[in-house]
């Protein structure tokens, strides 16, 4: 009998409490299902582009943002190890539109079968101006989507005031 392909879970994170609780839930699911986790941080480069497609910020700033992102992703990987004993995690940084990268590009490249993400990482004004990444992914993703609204113990996540 052929060995079944191991399931892989994509967890996009943006530093928000909602995303971090989704990460915790994904680890719990991965441990139960013996799955792999890809954690992803997308640096939205569209905010750095001017009308002529020239960058509005320096390469040093983008480099520092990348370093900060990598440190954040490493801290999540360490959190999973220290708190759950779970190590089957890879972390990734991409540049571009979070909606497109999460919904299509990353899934095509890594063949993740489930996306686990927080209900929202933006405040109300940002959602109104940019649209919810979670809403877009839920409607357009090439994989199933689990939207997390509770913590690891299934208590509702209370937004920070």
């Amino acid at each position: 009998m052929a060995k079944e392909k191991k399931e892989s879970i994509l967890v996009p994170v943006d530093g928000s409490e909602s995303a971090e609780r989704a990460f915790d839930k994904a680890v719990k699911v991965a441990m139960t299902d013996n799955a792999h986790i890809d954690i992803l941080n997308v640096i939205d480069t569209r905010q750095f582009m001017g009308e002529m497609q020239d960058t509005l910020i320096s390469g040093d700033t983008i480099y520092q943002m990348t370093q900060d992102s990598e440190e954040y992703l490493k801290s999540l990987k360490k959190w999973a190890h220290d708190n759950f004993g779970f190590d089957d995690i890879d972390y990734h940084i991409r540049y571009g539109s979070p909606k497109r990268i999460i919904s299509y590009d990353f899934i095509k490249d890594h063949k993740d079968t489930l996306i686990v993400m927080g209900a929202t990482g933006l405040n109300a004004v940002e959602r109104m101006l940019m649209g919810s990444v979670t809403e877009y992914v839920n409607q357009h993703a090439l994989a199933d989507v689990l939207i997390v609204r509770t913590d690891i113990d299934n208590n509702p996540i209370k937004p920070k005031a």
Side-chain angles (χ1 to χ4, degrees):
M1 186 172 194
K3 183 179 175 188
E4 287 187 35
K5 180 180 170 272
K6 187 171 190 174
E7 296 297 316
S8 195
I9 301 169
L10 170 59
V11 185
V13 294
D14 60 3
S16 67
E17 181 180 354
S18 179
E20 290 176 7
R21 297 305 65 90
F23 176 70
D24 288 350
K25 288 268 183 133
V27 170
K28 194 172 180 181
V29 169
M31 290 175 69
T32 301
D33 295 349
N34 190 33
H36 169 78
I37 291 181
D38 288 310
I39 46 178
L40 170 68
N41 182 242
V42 180
I43 298 174
D44 190 347
T45 55
R46 297 168 305 160
Q47 64 186 331
F48 309 133
M49 304 304 281
E51 287 183 27
M52 304 302 288
Q53 298 301 312
D54 294 328
T55 57
L56 297 174
I57 63 172
S58 71
D60 288 343
T61 303
I62 294 172
Y63 175 79
Q64 186 59 53
M65 291 174 71
T66 302
Q67 293 302 317
D68 293 345
S69 176
E70 184 171 12
E71 288 305 312
Y72 172 60
L73 294 171
K74 283 180 181 178
S75 74
L76 289 176
K77 188 172 179 173
K78 183 177 182 331
W79 169 262
H81 172 79
D82 293 349
N83 291 279
F84 301 103
F86 184 79
D87 293 309
D88 193 0
I89 298 174
D90 291 324
Y91 64 85
H92 310 269
I93 301 169
R94 296 289 185 270
Y95 305 89
S97 165
K99 292 176 181 179
R100 171 127 188 116
I101 290 170
I102 296 165
S103 296
Y104 306 110
D105 300 339
F106 194 88
I107 296 293
K108 282 183 181 179
D109 292 344
H110 293 271
K111 309 295 187 247
D112 296 284
T113 54
L114 177 65
I115 302 170
V116 178
M117 59 192 307
T120 182
L122 303 173
N123 66 39
V125 174
E126 290 170 323
R127 278 193 308 276
M128 183 179 71
L129 294 174
M130 296 170 43
S132 169
V133 172
T134 303
E135 182 179 319
Y136 182 90
V137 170
N138 190 41
Q139 292 177 10
H140 299 95
L142 298 178
D144 291 334
V145 180
L146 173 62
I147 300 172
V148 175
R149 299 180 192 283
T150 59
D151 66 15
I152 197 82
D153 298 317
N154 294 324
N155 298 312
I157 298 171
K158 296 180 174 61
K160 293 180 181 175

